[in-house]
Amino acid sequence: MSRALLRSVLELRAPSQRLFASPVSSIASPVAPIASRALSTIPQPPAAKHPKNAANPSENQARPIALKKSHPSSPPTPIEDSVRNLLPFLAAQPGHYITVHVHGFPYLVREGDQVRLPFRMPGVQPGDVLRLNRASVLGSRDYTMKGAPHIDESVFECRATVLGTESEPLRIKIKKKRRTRRTRTATSKHRYTILRISELTINTPEDIEGQ
């Protein structure tokens, strides 16, 4: 009895599978070639370029896999004996500037400028003339000389006149710890030295050789 029921069930399932399988195959077969023909006949438009964009000279060249060098061409060679050749042009131009170092502090100054040092320079009096012989940059409008780290002192002469000293108002600060009634008072009064750049000249190669 059970075998007869199983056979009847299998016979009922087989026609249903054939019934649903044939329409799907008949519908899917004609659609695929139509879609392929439609995609092949549609022309692809070229990539639009902005009219202001410049032409790429290496568009048709092969791109290397390796990273590009930041400086593919060799840097320009320095001018031979540039100090001797360009120092007269630097000395001839007006409006020289210099970066002088006073006790480790750099100051970018010109002739006639005033400098207030953030300390009191010991052993100087108003009216004294000081020669500042340590500089890292010396230049004009078109030329600049840089030292490594400082420029030779025979190339320039920079003198400063001491105008005097200044002092700030007395500062009082009260120091106190938490949960204590004891207080401590600290006072400070900084003093400064005022300089005026009185002379700034650049020597020529002939003057340096004469020294």
Side-chain angles (χ1 to χ4, degrees):
M1 185 65 183
S2 61
R3 290 182 180 180
L5 291 174
L6 181 60
R7 288 176 183 177
S8 61
V9 170
L10 292 177
E11 290 176 0
L12 290 174
R13 287 183 180 180
S16 63
Q17 292 178 358
R18 289 193 299 270
L19 180 62
F20 289 106
S22 59
V24 172
S25 61
S26 62
I27 293 173
S29 57
V31 172
I34 294 172
S36 62
R37 287 197 302 271
L39 293 176
S40 61
T41 55
I42 296 176
Q44 297 295 332
K49 294 184 179 180
H50 199 275
K52 293 186 178 181
N53 289 352
N56 187 5
S58 61
E59 183 176 2
N60 299 327
Q61 298 179 5
R63 298 287 181 178
I65 299 177
L67 297 176
K68 293 184 178 181
K69 297 181 180 179
S70 58
H71 299 284
S73 59
S74 59
T77 58
I79 302 174
E80 295 182 0
D81 202 1
S82 60
V83 176
R84 178 178 294 276
N85 296 333
L86 300 179
L87 188 59
F89 298 97
L90 175 61
Q93 282 192 339
H96 299 138
Y97 63 88
I98 188 172
T99 301
V100 293
H101 294 256
V102 182
H103 289 277
F105 293 92
Y107 300 94
L108 178 62
V109 295
R110 297 177 61 182
E111 186 175 350
D113 292 350
Q114 286 189 8
V115 179
R116 189 177 78 163
L117 304 180
F119 55 87
R120 183 178 180 276
M121 184 177 290
V124 296
Q125 298 294 332
D128 293 348
V129 178
L130 308 176
R131 182 183 179 186
L132 308 178
N133 59 353
R134 184 163 294 180
S136 58
V137 178
L138 178 64
S140 62
R141 181 174 182 177
D142 297 330
Y143 300 95
T144 303
M145 179 186 293
K146 295 183 179 180
H150 300 104
I151 301 173
D152 188 4
E153 61 181 23
S154 61
V155 176
F156 66 95
E157 291 184 5
C158 182
R159 288 181 169 83
T161 305
V162 180
L163 300 181
T165 58
E166 291 182 355
S167 59
E168 65 175 4
L170 183 65
R171 293 188 293 180
I172 301 175
K173 184 176 182 180
I174 298 175
K175 296 187 177 182
K176 181 181 179 300
K177 294 183 179 180
R178 293 182 299 176
R179 296 184 294 275
T180 57
R181 296 184 179 181
R182 181 175 175 272
T183 60
R184 186 166 60 91
T185 303
T187 61
S188 64
K189 188 173 184 178
H190 293 186
R191 289 178 170 83
Y192 309 100
T193 303
I194 309 301
L195 303 179
R196 180 188 292 276
I197 307 300
S198 58
E199 180 183 355
L200 176 57
T201 57
I202 300 176
N203 299 325
T204 59
E206 292 75 12
D207 298 337
I208 296 174
E209 293 176 357
Q211 295 178 0

